[in-house]
Amino acid sequence: LTVLRSAGAAAQLHDGPAPTFQRVTSVAELDERLKSAGKPVMLDFYADWCVYCKQLEKETFPDPAVQAALSVGVVLKADVTANDDADKALLARIGIPGPPAMIFYAADGTERRGYRLLGFMPPKEFAEHVRAAWR
């Protein structure tokens, strides 16, 4: 299990560190994580070349309200920087063109499709969105 953290510089903008993301690298791995999580899940699609992804890491994810909202679930990250076959399969499985995208799942592993986020969202609105998605 590979654990990724947001950039250290992001933590300087807020009181605490960004949440810990568990990396997902394949459709099979995603399916297994959703099946075994037993709590709500957020899947974050990220790429090094994605400006909004970096903005989320610096401004949104480290925010204390966002951290608190995300703490009740599991946060997964699919780093699709390489855009290899596994990355393309993950994107196709979810049905999105690319990052940034945050996909929310209920504790039973079913997607809360109406709560998909594509693009940047400021911390306050993002924390509210997470809480609503995981109700």
Side-chain angles (χ1 to χ4, degrees):
L1 179 57
T2 303
V3 177
L4 300 179
R5 287 196 177 265
S6 295
Q12 295 174 5
L13 297 176
H14 298 282
D15 295 326
T20 300
F21 289 86
Q22 299 173 16
R23 186 168 181 175
V24 173
T25 59
S26 70
V27 170
E29 193 175 8
L30 173 61
D31 289 343
E32 180 54 37
R33 297 278 176 84
L34 291 173
K35 188 171 133 182
S36 66
K39 49 172 78 170
V41 174
M42 181 188 83
L43 173 61
D44 172 42
F45 280 89
Y46 169 90
D48 289 344
W49 42 260
C50 169
V51 174
Y52 290 121
C53 297
K54 295 200 181 273
Q55 188 178 10
L56 284 160
E57 285 196 339
K58 288 180 183 173
E59 297 178 26
T60 301
F61 295 148
D63 184 84
V66 171
Q67 291 178 48
L70 290 174
S71 71
V72 302
V74 174
V75 286
L76 304 176
K77 181 178 293 282
D79 183 340
V80 296
T81 300
N83 200 31
D84 59 18
D85 289 343
D87 294 349
K88 290 175 185 175
L90 273 167
L91 291 166
R93 165 68 182 282
I94 304 301
I96 58 169
M102 281 73 52
I103 312 302
F104 294 88
Y105 298 87
D108 67 2
T110 58
E111 184 184 345
R112 303 289 314 267
R113 192 158 175 94
Y115 290 94
R116 284 184 172 203
L117 287 178
L118 302 174
F120 176 79
M121 184 177 273
K124 183 176 187 281
E125 291 86 350
F126 188 84
E128 292 168 3
H129 187 87
V130 171
R131 286 191 291 272
W134 285 352
R135 271 194 199 113

